[in-house]
Amino acid sequence: GAGVSQSPSNKVTEKGKDVELRCDPISGHTALYWYRQSLGQGLEFLIYFQGNSAPDKSGLPSDRFSAERTGGSVSTLTIQRTQQEDSAVYLCASSPRGWGANEQFFGPGTRLTVL
Amino acid sequence: TQLLEQSPQFLSIQEGENLTVYCNSSSVFSSLQWYRQEPGEGPVLLVTVVTGGEVKKLKRLTFQFGDARKDSSLHITAAQPGDTGLYLCAGVPSGGYQKVTFGTGTKLQVIP
């Protein structure tokens, strides 16, 4: 079956522009997560969706970052007025249920470069 | 905030050597997961350990959960070039809703 997909795979933008990153989770997975990864290091949690609601958005670094999920499926992470420090790989993951010892299935990520 | 420190941060070894990666925290976790991430891909779950002192083996990889459930180790025997990647531990908190905490990562390179 299809795994988690993300688009675009690479995005180069100029400082100050807005970007939208898309995540298509595994069908039927109710939980969806966004993470940020810099320089091939650990994962920084951004936001967690259960269905269409986001019970935990504590990891969003500023009000320039927002995310939504529609139809319990596709999610979009939007970064407004991008800054150079936003450059990173943005990873999306889904799991059949919410937080816990459930395996998270990750997409390949979107590499964002802000010039 | 629960932190998971991994050591070493980087490791470059020759094929056939053994190695151990450590994942340490001051917090207690109900379970701990290990993921491996290859370049250009997302992390993939290798194993979940749930009982203090538990040891799990996956071919040449041996995972151990500390008795106090605060730490874990990953031991690789006779490393192969296919083991190259970023290894991430992830702690699952106990008691109600809390998000999974990922470790700082260990980048392993196995040279043929």
Side-chain angles (χ1 to χ4, degrees), chain B residues 14-35:
Chain B
Q14 295 291 325
E15 181 177 357
E17 292 184 1
N18 302 331
L19 67 119
T20 302
V21 176
Y22 299 93
C23 173
N24 295 295
S25 175
S26 58
S27 302
V28 176
F29 295 101
S30 66
S31 63
L32 198 135
Q33 301 171 327
W34 284 91
Y35 288 79

Side-chain angles (χ1 to χ4, degrees), chain A residues 35 37 39-43 45 48 55-56 58-59 89 91 99-109 111, chain B residues 9-10 30-31 33 35 37 40-45 48 50 86 88 92 97-100 102-105 107:
Chain A
Y35 295 92
Q37 185 175 39
L39 299 175
Q41 298 303 309
L43 305 185
F45 166 78
Y48 156 57
D56 189 347
S58 63
V89 175
L91 290 163
W99 290 121
N102 303 302
E103 177 178 1
Q104 294 187 38
F105 296 83
F106 284 84
R111 181 175 296 277
Chain B
Q9 187 176 5
F10 300 100
S30 66
S31 63
Q33 301 171 327
Y35 288 79
Q37 183 180 21
E41 300 180 7
V44 176
L45 181 68
T48 301
V50 296
L86 178 70
L88 294 160
V92 182
Y97 164 77
Q98 291 187 66
K99 59 181 172 283
V100 171
F102 278 84
T104 50
K107 188 169 289 187

Side-chain angles (χ1 to χ4, degrees), chain A residues 72-111:
Chain A
S73 181
V74 172
S75 177
T76 302
L77 177 69
T78 301
I79 308 174
Q80 296 179 311
R81 305 180 303 281
T82 52
Q83 304 294 312
Q84 289 182 332
E85 60 263 28
D86 299 334
S87 296
V89 175
Y90 289 81
L91 290 163
C92 172
S94 70
S95 65
R97 297 175 298 279
W99 290 121
N102 303 302
E103 177 178 1
Q104 294 187 38
F105 296 83
F106 284 84
T110 294
R111 181 175 296 277

